[in-house]
Amino acid sequence: MKILTVVGARPQFIKASAVSRAAREVAGMQEVLVHTGQHYDANMSQVFFDELEIPAPARHLGIGSGGHGAQTGQMLAAIEEVLLAEQPDCVLVYGDTNSTLAGALAAAKLHIPIAHVEAGLRSFNRRMPEEVNRVLTDHASSLLFAPTDVAVRNLVHEGIPAGQVFQVGDVMFDTALFFGQKAQAQSQVLSRLGVQSGQYVLASIHRAENTDVPERLAAIVDGLRRVAEQYRVVLPLHPRTQKVLQEAGWLDALSERVLVCPPVGYLDMVQLERNAQLILTDSGGVQKEAYFYEVPCVTLRDETEWVELVESGWNALTPPVSGEVIAARVQERVGSRGAPGQLYGAGDSARQIVQVIRDHL
Ligand code: UD1
Ligand code: UDP
């Protein structure tokens, strides 16, 4: 059986590493990895292939950045060519990026079954590009791998036949377990940045709804500066955010107080997360990783797809309306804990995914 996997953005490399490894363990299963090139800086792409032992992509499409239509359209055309040449039995896509949608759409048009990992997540906010991407991908897919009960319910509610939906837990938990010790053993990030375990707040900001709305970004910058009056704040800066902050002329004011650094590799990020007092983020993956490492999280968004994190008390949703609100929320949540539990499976999601694909296609 030949599976063709389409990846392109940072979180997809992290998810794909687990499934790729599981696929290599199945006799007769071949995986062709296609990188769209959506993320291309070495610290947004190559570092994950190196650290997470992902084989080099068989095809690199080199699409790069662009508007949603142009970027997705170029990917669609390029992926179609690859699919025609490779003739896979299944196309595997992850999450909700433009690379995900392009992979799914190209496969659907050629009647190739699609397997979607991280299916069924919903913010119910159609203004988010990710929401459109994930809804369309789910409805084009034959096998839908949902990480949570809520995700299963969302899919069934939208009329997806229950027989196509498999609750398998979260592949990011597989990756966290598999590489946890390596991170501990190899990462020097705390000494490199000069921070002490348990004595800093880790921040990550990249969501378009925050970077592209000046009032929200201003509130976040002000919030981070206020938080930094009390705690050390470490901010590995996503290139989207870096660009917008630079254009707005706000980067210097932020860097005066906050320890801003380029994006870090996965092993360093895990160490930064695990040793933080609190994580302040708008990332999907980072919200879950905060929970894996039992670090309280404040999410700077109006809603989250990972509602169980809020319900269990590990995550507090905080729309970035002002710097005061953000700083007060951080103050309130430092030292807090949520309910114990294992919300994202047992770390064997990738193996389950590969088995379902083998048995059903
Ligand atoms: C994308 C995903 C988002 C995901 C995020 C993970 C979409 C619509 N968005 O957002 O769901 O959470 O990845 O990080 O697919 N850039 C660089 N170097 C790079 C990559 C990007 O400089 O290697 C800059 C470019 O200026 C680019 C901007 O970042 O225009 C945004 O990149 P893009 O891939 O379009 O979206 P992300 O914000 O990364
Ligand atoms: N991550 C990383 N280095 C960083 C920031 C994030 O390795 O500087 C990892 C993080 O640990 C998580 C994933 O990237 O596994 C999350 O990706 P991102 O926040 O870009 O996207 P999202 O999850 O919001 O789609």
Side-chain angles (χ1 to χ4, degrees), residues 193-316:
L193 294 179
V195 292
Q196 309 281 324
S197 176
Q199 294 186 27
Y200 62 90
V201 167
L202 175 67
S204 93
I205 303 293
H206 75 276
R207 211 44 63 214
E209 75 215 42
N210 285 334
T211 61
D212 297 3
V213 179
E215 307 81 64
R216 288 172 77 98
L217 190 62
I220 290 170
V221 169
D222 185 40
L224 290 171
R225 280 173 56 90
R226 284 168 187 267
V227 173
E229 286 170 8
Q230 247 186 309
Y231 306 93
R232 290 209 78 185
V233 178
V234 177
L235 174 67
L237 200 56
H238 190 287
R240 165 192 284 279
T241 319
Q242 145 107 34
K243 192 173 150 209
V244 180
L245 287 172
Q246 209 137 33
E247 282 166 9
W250 294 345
L251 196 50
D252 289 346
L254 189 63
S255 309
E256 271 168 15
R257 294 208 188 148
V258 169
L259 181 44
V260 178
C261 64
V264 295
Y266 180 76
L267 303 180
D268 283 350
M269 190 63 179
V270 162
Q271 278 307 89
L272 283 172
E273 289 171 339
R274 192 186 255 160
N275 289 286
Q277 278 170 289
L278 177 137
I279 295 177
L280 194 56
T281 191
D282 61 8
S283 157
V286 174
Q287 287 174 59
K288 284 179 289 173
E289 288 168 346
Y291 170 77
F292 300 158
Y293 305 119
E294 301 190 342
V295 175
C297 184
V298 170
T299 294
L300 298 175
R301 287 186 49 197
D302 298 348
E303 69 279 307
T304 179
E305 300 76 17
W306 306 100
V307 287
E308 56 287 333
L309 294 175
V310 177
E311 283 157 10
S312 64
W314 284 101
N315 190 3

Side-chain angles (χ1 to χ4, degrees), residues 9 11 38-41 44 65 68 71 96-98 129-130 206-207 238-240 243:
Q38 177 168 350
H39 286 173
Y40 43 86
D41 291 345
M44 294 295 289
S65 304
H68 288 287
Q71 186 184 52
D96 51 24
T97 71
N98 288 346
E130 293 86 355
H206 75 276
R207 211 44 63 214
H238 190 287
R240 165 192 284 279
K243 192 173 150 209

Side-chain angles (χ1 to χ4, degrees), residues 87-162:
Q87 299 286 324
D89 299 298
C90 162
V91 167
L92 180 59
V93 291
Y94 293 88
D96 51 24
T97 71
N98 288 346
S99 298
T100 313
L101 178 62
L105 210 47
K109 296 276 183 180
L110 296 173
H111 314 296
I112 301 169
I114 301 156
H116 184 204
V117 176
E118 223 180 62
L121 296 183
R122 295 292 180 265
S123 64
F124 302 102
N125 174 2
R126 286 285 173 111
R127 291 186 59 80
M128 281 180 79
E130 293 86 355
E131 183 77 353
V132 176
N133 290 344
R134 54 172 95 97
V135 169
L136 295 175
T137 301
D138 280 339
H139 285 262
S141 294
S142 301
L143 298 176
L144 295 95
F145 296 108
T148 60
D149 291 336
V150 174
V152 171
R153 281 205 296 276
N154 289 337
L155 292 170
V156 172
H157 183 71
E158 288 175 20
I160 307 256

Side-chain angles (χ1 to χ4, degrees), residues 314-334:
W314 284 101
N315 190 3
L317 266 183
T318 306
V321 290
S322 77
E324 284 111 309
V325 165
I326 294 170
R329 184 54 75 98
V330 168
Q331 179 76 0
E332 174 195 318
R333 301 295 293 192
V334 165

